[in-house]
Amino acid sequence: GCSVGSSLQRFLERGLPALILSALLLVVVVRSLVVPALTHRGRRRLVGRWRRLTRWEFWPAWAVYPPVVVWILIEGLRRRGLTWFTACNPGFPNAGGLIGESKAAILRLLPTDDPRVPPWTVIEPGGIEERLRAVQLFLRDHHLDYPVVLKPDVGERGQGVHICRNPDQAVAALGAHPVALIAQEYLPGIEVGAFWIRDWVGTGPRGAIERQGLFALTDKRVPHVTGDGVRTAEELIYDDPRAVIMADQYLENLGTRAFDIPAAGAEVTLAELGTHCRGAIFLDGEALVTPELVAAVEDLSRRVEGFHFGRWDLRAPSREALQRGEFRVVELNGLTSEATVIYDPSYSLVEGWKVLMRQWSLAIEIGARNAATGAPVLTLLSLARLVWREGRSSSTGRRSAQD
């Protein structure tokens, strides 16, 4: 009896916890892998999840940037200035556009007499009716009509950006974001990201022809699926080898239209914003680069005082118009903007790292050069305080939006 009791006690002390843990793991595996695999939809969702995991263009920043951060530290030590990069764009707020910069503050730097800069205004926090009137006044004063773009004054990666096609959609956007918003003229057409560096001469990431200023050009493609008259838009998304990776985002974009059956040959647009994490496809736009485009980007960039390094998001009526240097401005981003050609699916992770390291080396070089002529440089302590403050502000903003 004592032997049996001792064995039971040892099992309860050692074997039972392991058994419970094994059972819990089995439940997790069954729920996350086995059960989904029983349906076509579930299997395609598993495929999408796997492709997101194995394709680095979909990885979160924390998984991509550690080697780049190490490189920035090495470059800073080599140049004897860990924070030179904060002097990169002397005219920009928040250390040259490092974190939490105001879009309005940057837009105010753009030449107001340049037709390439579309009308915009700030919609301050307040009651929804009051804010809607401000949107309506903006449209009236600039002889515009819907659609209109509403986006947070402080935000990144396309979060909170809405293309509002009528007052009801504007009300929904205003209600979802009780923070300061930018109202801006909607610009149709194709979109590109033009990364510009003042006084830089060289070849782009994969370019063979030397040029000035235009470091990289990203061709932002709008994704779509083509109907067959049989499957719903949702089914078309799940069956598409690329769209399945971003299925959740595309289905959110479509809303109830995901259950419609598109006619055979009809194209269903899955995303409208030129933002990778919202579903746009980024390709290396080297083939679009012309001397006329380079000259136009150079001309506009040099009209922005205190701007030395960053990315223009531009729209043009067509690829041909863009190549003639005819475009309008969606946004201007500073220090931490990326040469987004790296998210071209044909770029390897190592290639992406090389481009990011190259652009940060240039940012440090430019910052050091600006500092030598009197541009302010943040100390490490000031930089840490800025990051801490903006991080807390961002968290508070997210909680307010959720409330």
Side-chain angles (χ1 to χ4, degrees), residues 46-58:
L46 289 175
V47 168
R49 193 182 306 169
W50 173 252
R51 289 179 181 169
R52 284 185 67 86
L53 185 65
T54 56
R55 299 188 184 187
W56 82 270
E57 65 170 296
F58 297 103

Side-chain angles (χ1 to χ4, degrees), residues 106-118 120 299-305 312 329 332:
I106 294 178
L107 286 169
R108 290 188 185 103
L109 299 174
L110 307 189
T112 55
D113 60 342
D114 195 314
R116 293 171 293 193
V117 180
W120 64 276
D299 171 67
L300 179 60
S301 299
R302 288 190 174 274
R303 297 190 69 189
V304 182
E305 188 173 353
W312 293 98
V329 176
L332 176 58

Side-chain angles (χ1 to χ4, degrees), residues 193-196 200 204-205 211 213-218 286 289 339-341 355:
F195 202 99
W196 181 83
W200 171 84
R211 58 177 178 259
L214 187 59
F215 178 74
L217 189 77
T218 303
E286 191 67 29
V289 177
T340 47
V341 293
V355 174

Side-chain angles (χ1 to χ4, degrees), residues 10-23:
R10 284 196 300 273
F11 172 74
L12 291 174
E13 291 176 351
R14 301 177 183 176
L16 186 58
L19 183 62
I20 293 173
L21 180 60
S22 299

